[in-house]
Amino acid sequence: MVLHGAQALAIPLAKGQELHFYKEKKRNQQAQIYWTAYDWKADIWFEAILDKHSFEVIQTNDSNKSSTLSVLLKATPPAFWEDDLDYRFETHLQFDRSWGWGTSSTLVSLINSDFAISCCNTLENSSKMLLMKLAPMLSTVLKVPLIW
């Protein structure tokens, strides 16, 4: 994404990101989502465990990324999630994260593809949820009430 009036250069990439998911017999009483992200060297760079029903973060190594992941997963269709199973997701980058090639944008695209939903719906729903989550902080910083 480039803001109107800004100068930018677009370069098509041959490398990307893969998303794999597996359904497993649940390990705990509550069904959970296990998310592991591997970098291009096959090292883990992000991990999170989320409650499968509320999508609340149970454990993570990065609270900011896991909050974003929670918002994205809340935008998925409820029919996708089977009640008696855990879900394990793995992402595999084919490039160095420090290059800034859009790990989050490719993730949104992969989620939409695997969940068979529209990118626009995911972005719209996740944006609304993120704004609602940020509203109290923004209202305090801006010193004005935010009206929806």
Side-chain angles (χ1 to χ4, degrees), residues 15 25 37 46 51 63 95 97 114 117 125 128:
K15 297 183 183 284
K25 184 177 177 183
F46 171 68
D51 179 85
S63 58
F95 56 89
R97 287 186 319 120
D114 284 357
I117 53 178
N125 291 339
K128 284 179 186 175

Side-chain angles (χ1 to χ4, degrees), residues 50-125:
L50 297 93
D51 179 85
K52 195 177 77 176
H53 301 290
S54 67
F55 301 104
E56 295 302 315
V57 178
I58 297 169
Q59 184 179 336
T60 185
N61 64 350
D62 188 320
S63 58
N64 289 332
K65 285 180 180 49
S66 57
S67 292
T68 302
L69 178 61
S70 174
V71 168
L72 286 172
L73 293 177
K74 285 178 184 175
T76 60
F80 178 84
W81 307 100
E82 295 181 28
D83 285 336
D84 61 342
L85 298 172
D86 282 345
Y87 284 70
R88 177 169 303 283
F89 289 84
E90 294 180 359
T91 63
H92 299 269
L93 284 177
Q94 298 169 344
F95 56 89
D96 189 333
R97 287 186 319 120
S98 67
W99 295 349
W101 282 0
T103 55
S104 57
S105 59
T106 56
L107 177 61
V108 169
S109 175
L110 290 168
I111 287 174
N112 287 316
S113 175
D114 284 357
F115 285 91
I117 53 178
S118 160
C119 285
C120 295
N121 288 345
T122 304
L123 290 173
E124 179 182 354
N125 291 339

